[in-house]
Amino acid sequence: MKKKLLSVMLASVLTLSMAGCQSSAVNGVSEDQNTTNATDTSAGGSGETTSNASADLNIMLETPVESLDPQQATDGTSFEVIADFTDGLMQMDADGQAVNAIAQSVDISEDGLTYTFHLREDANWSNGEPVTAADFVFAWQRAVDPEIASEYSYMLSDIGQIVNAQDIIDGSKDKSELGVTAVDDKTLEVKLNVPVSYFLSLMYFPTFYPVNEAFYESCADTFATSPETTLSNGAFVLDDYQPAATTIHLTKNPDYYGADSVQLAGLNYQVIQDSQQALMSYQSGDLDTTLVNGEQVDQVKDDPAFQAIGAGYLWYISPNIQEVKELQNVNIRYAFTMALNREAITTDVLKDGSAPTYTAVPMDFAAGPDGSDFSADQEKFSDVCRFDADAALEYWNKGLEELGVSEITITMIHDADDAPIKVAQVVKEQLETTLPGLTVELQQMPKKERVQRMQDGDFELGLTRWGPDYADPMTYLGMWVTNNSNNYGFWSNSEYDAIIAECTTGETAMDAEARWAALYDAEKIVMDEAVIFPLYTQCNAELISTSVSGIEFHPVALNRVYKNATKN
């Protein structure tokens, strides 16, 4: 069977711009990066500093890094830093297209089931050893190894459809049987169960990044917890980091195969969770980029340095349907979602261009076979998800009657960051004002603790978000499959599971139009049962110094990429 050489990804999806944001988006194609924004950050303003072209870029982080292990990391902040010093087989260009990185070329069989990656000869680890196909085999086997228990193992099974991945995750096959083979040092062969049109775009997701086995074994349990236990094959080298650190520093990697195009001397991250402190640091020149929130936007929105950039995250409230009796009542859930004034949250609280959202899959994110946006119609579920105080009260009273109670007290957990704190306070006010007899108690905590509690089912309501890993509705809809680790409410529906399975491995997976229609059906089940209460699709309001240009912004997988940035 003759194979064809592709230098760009195969994708059935198109890219749309982030309509809810003030900055324009650049069209790109990618399963999980459909709405890619590439912004030339030539902005003016109070953060302007004078520096040499090869200076460090000073970057504000809103939350700490949770893990720098590519197969264990689960949050966007960690993914960003990992991608600073690690390249995968593919990377994103400024438009979000999948382009070659460690892979110099890829052959795809005519049936779409075999991918053969040819690795570049000049890719090396920072200890001088070459990057080999075996590094990818080892890393991917780690990702599906039940002993590692990677939360993103489903990227290889449900999403990537790599042969034997699911059986290995379930424990019925050994990890050595994963459908990935090092043909030789520079040739990696991957076998799939079914064709996956967006497979190449998965390759820039950190779970698929390589790990040098000998180095990993030498680190024992300390792997990726310090500069000494971290290897680089990317644009920068980690030289200052410890878990839960408030500062992280990376230096340009002189041995990087693309070093000639890297203009920054390094990256200097500062974790600042107080928005006022962050703004002051930017204004004093200690930061080159910073997020601004709420009332700060009113102060700086006319500054040329201000930009609202699509971040791709869907913020929503997850009810614990399995454990909380009151939330098992669908009328109570309808009352909650109808009582939420999303427009007030985005316009009066966030003020950053974020868009009210009434669907389980956000708008301007994934386009179907005909080019239409999957969630362009934000009123398609208005019978069960809209702001309607009268309808909310009607559902509330009906639910209370069915439960045989007149009052409900419920606790909502949320992150201890600026925006989630403000949003949670407004949600509490809206719910309590509209629904008499309801008391919402708020508990704020570090993100890591909040995520752990939601995964453990130790919560009642949780304010959370999901950032897309690839530009297809499945990146959201796959979360609600029974026993998925991100199905925080432990909801289960056999009809839903069957639709998702059919769209993943069944005949429907081979028919783009039929698959799209089936995914609509799946989303309808999620919304009709009020599995989540969608709130808004996030934009980031940022100030970026006039001395900085070339930062690439992507609302999918990797939100910010710095290897082509400059600072003058």
Side-chain angles (χ1 to χ4, degrees), residues 15-18 23-28 33-42 92-97 307 309-310 544 549-555 558-561 564:
T15 299
L16 304 173
S17 63
M18 291 295 295
S23 66
S24 61
V26 180
N27 289 344
Q33 284 162 321
N34 238 337
T35 37
T36 296
N37 293 10
T39 304
D40 179 18
T41 54
S42 53
M92 282 185 284
D93 66 8
D95 295 338
Q97 300 278 0
Q307 299 183 53
I309 301 167
I544 304 172
S549 63
I551 300 175
E552 295 170 7
F553 294 93
H554 305 280
L558 302 175
N559 291 130
R560 299 182 294 191
V561 178
N564 295 316

Side-chain angles (χ1 to χ4, degrees), residues 11 49 53 119 136 154 164 190 224 233 302 314 317 330 356 374 391 394 419 427 452 458 487 507 513 529:
T49 60
L119 278 54
F136 289 93
Y154 68 90
N164 293 331
V190 184
N233 69 3
D302 295 328
L314 173 68
I317 297 172
V330 71
F374 187 85
E394 184 177 344
V427 165
Q452 188 63 56
D458 181 20
N487 184 354
E507 292 184 5
E513 292 184 359
E529 296 202 14

